[in-house]
Amino acid sequence: MEVGNTDLRSLIGLNHSFISLIEGELGVKIISRGDLIQIAGKRDEVEKAKYVIEDLCRYINERGELNERYVYYSIASVKDGIDSPYSKIGNEGFITSVTTKEEIRPKTVGQKQYLKAIDNYDIVFAIGPAGTGKTYLAVAKAVSYFKHKIINRIILVRPAVEAGESLGFLPGDIRAKVDPYLRPLYDALHDMLAADKIKKLMETGIIEIAPLAFMRGRTLNSAFVILDEAQNSTRAQMKMLLTRLGENSKAVITGDITQIDLARKSASGLIQARKILSGIKGISFVMLTEKDVVRHRLVQDIIKAYEKYEIKKGRKGGK
């Protein structure tokens, strides 16, 4: 097959690293000569390798630089029957990061579906493992909506649930005690807006970052509300937050049901919400998987290993 105008060095990778990944994952042999790529192996595997290489060429031609994480993602997607994953992701950004100076855009098909759901539904539940961009993309969307004057306020909320540590032993007042739980929201926000801008918006109440318990009794109009780590909200807290939503508002609920820190996992408001709200028009549930992980590639392998362990432990009666 011909790779045309694609930069062959980018496609091959340093020390043929990308080609080696394709060979190892699909069981084929790849030889590159000029702008020609020859693939040898079983017919099905050769066809998959061809789809992967075509996809990587499209990625390079539109984004300019290939990375190991996307090579793994392209291979996994093609194995699942998606012959051109990048064409389904696209190259359209929606807001520019103040730290990287690059447009933020989805990196997987799952992330693309997640962002589309936020645009089309007033309440979106994003459920999936760590590293899938649930919180980061929600905050980026909130800032984008604010800049385009679609909403007037951004409310970022997290349950202050103890994960093996006691809040009572942390120094300082209540704000000092709960701030560590809210740090991921601050971090995401600082990637979207300049520090002085954030400070001004928080002083005027346009941006609010608070523990979930502080939402009781309020009505949130023209707001973009994000509940992060929702698996650690109780059933009563989840209902309380969802019923705070006022006119012209959106809510994004993110969580990982494999990392529940509540004393009783069955008491999670996120688990209950998925059971009783999935049929309501205007509410969307987006399920992200380990293939949507955009952190270090080993994170995906770690998630798979833990899933296998939990399944095996369940079969043995929890021993």
Side-chain angles (χ1 to χ4, degrees):
M1 60 177 295
E2 294 185 8
V3 297
N5 297 324
T6 302
D7 182 357
L8 199 59
R9 290 174 300 179
S10 298
L11 177 64
I12 293 173
L14 184 63
N15 297 323
H16 285 69
S17 58
F18 297 156
I19 293 298
S20 296
L21 285 180
I22 300 171
E23 290 178 328
E25 292 291 323
L26 295 177
V28 297
K29 181 65 177 177
I30 299 175
I31 300 173
S32 60
R33 293 174 179 170
D35 63 350
L36 292 176
I37 296 286
Q38 293 181 331
I39 309 170
K42 295 181 179 179
R43 179 177 296 179
D44 288 347
E45 281 68 25
V46 168
E47 193 70 13
K48 290 175 183 176
K50 178 184 175 183
Y51 285 141
V52 169
I53 291 173
E54 289 175 346
D55 186 60
L56 298 183
C57 287
R58 186 177 294 106
Y59 185 99
I60 292 169
N61 292 337
E62 293 196 22
R63 295 203 178 184
E65 184 177 350
L66 187 61
N67 56 72
E68 183 184 67
R69 180 70 203 87
Y70 186 78
V71 177
Y72 271 105
Y73 176 73
S74 182
I75 294 169
S77 298
V78 169
K79 282 183 175 180
D80 285 346
I82 303 175
D83 58 15
S84 184
Y86 183 69
S87 65
K88 295 172 177 61
I89 298 171
N91 196 36
E92 183 180 352
F94 59 92
I95 191 171
T96 302
S97 166
V98 298
T99 55
T100 65
K101 307 301 180 184
E102 296 179 354
E103 278 195 316
I104 295 170
R105 50 176 63 92
K107 296 180 180 180
T108 70
V109 174
Q111 288 189 349
K112 180 67 176 283
Q113 293 171 344
Y114 176 32
L115 294 173
K116 186 177 180 180
I118 293 175
D119 287 333
N120 294 333
Y121 295 86
D122 287 337
I123 297 178
V124 175
F125 286 82
I127 301 174
T132 50
K134 303 184 300 293
T135 303
Y136 188 83
L137 291 175
V139 173
K141 267 294 183 183
V143 173
S144 176
Y145 272 49
F146 175 73
K147 286 187 173 182
H148 288 89
K149 303 185 186 304
I150 300 173
I151 50 93
N152 297 327
R153 303 175 64 197
I154 298 175
I155 313 293
L156 308 177
V157 186
R158 252 193 173 206
V161 174
E162 304 171 18
E165 298 181 53
S166 176
L167 279 171
F169 290 101
L170 294 175
D173 58 15
I174 185 62
R175 175 57 64 184
K177 291 177 187 291
V178 300
D179 265 0
Y181 292 91
L182 306 174
R183 179 51 52 188
L185 296 174
Y186 284 106
D187 292 342
L189 199 57
H190 277 274
D191 201 26
M192 315 297 166
L193 295 168
D196 57 341
K197 180 71 170 178
I198 294 173
K199 181 180 179 181
K200 181 179 179 181
L201 293 174
M202 292 185 71
E203 287 175 350
T204 56
I206 293 175
I207 292 180
E208 183 178 351
I209 304 178
L212 176 56
F214 289 13
M215 294 296 105
R216 188 171 298 280
R218 302 177 58 184
T219 300
L220 306 174
N221 292 314
S222 191
F224 196 116
V225 184
I226 299 172
L227 171 58
D228 192 35
E229 296 290 338
Q231 75 275 5
N232 289 327
S233 65
T234 66
R235 297 175 178 182
Q237 286 175 329
M238 177 64 75
K239 180 181 178 181
M240 178 269 292
L241 181 80
L242 293 175
T243 54
R244 300 306 95 201
L245 214 60
E247 292 293 327
N248 191 40
S249 291
K250 280 184 177 285
V252 177
I253 319 298
T254 72
D256 178 1
I257 57 177
T258 69
Q259 296 191 31
I260 299 173
D261 297 318
L262 297 171
R264 289 191 310 111
K265 296 184 185 299
S266 61
S268 170
L270 182 58
I271 290 179
Q272 185 191 55
R274 186 171 64 163
K275 292 178 179 178
I276 67 177
L277 300 180
S278 58
I280 297 180
K281 186 177 181 180
I283 298 179
S284 174
F285 283 81
V286 178
M287 306 303 295
L288 300 172
T289 71
E290 74 278 353
K291 288 193 290 296
D292 297 300
V293 171
V294 293
R295 293 178 182 169
H296 193 287
R297 69 172 182 83
L298 286 177
V299 173
Q300 187 177 108
D301 294 333
I302 291 169
I303 291 169
K304 287 182 178 178
Y306 271 97
E307 287 178 348
K308 289 180 181 179
Y309 172 77
E310 292 296 332
I311 292 172
K312 185 177 180 181
K313 185 175 70 171
R315 288 173 179 169
K316 292 184 176 181
K319 295 181 180 180

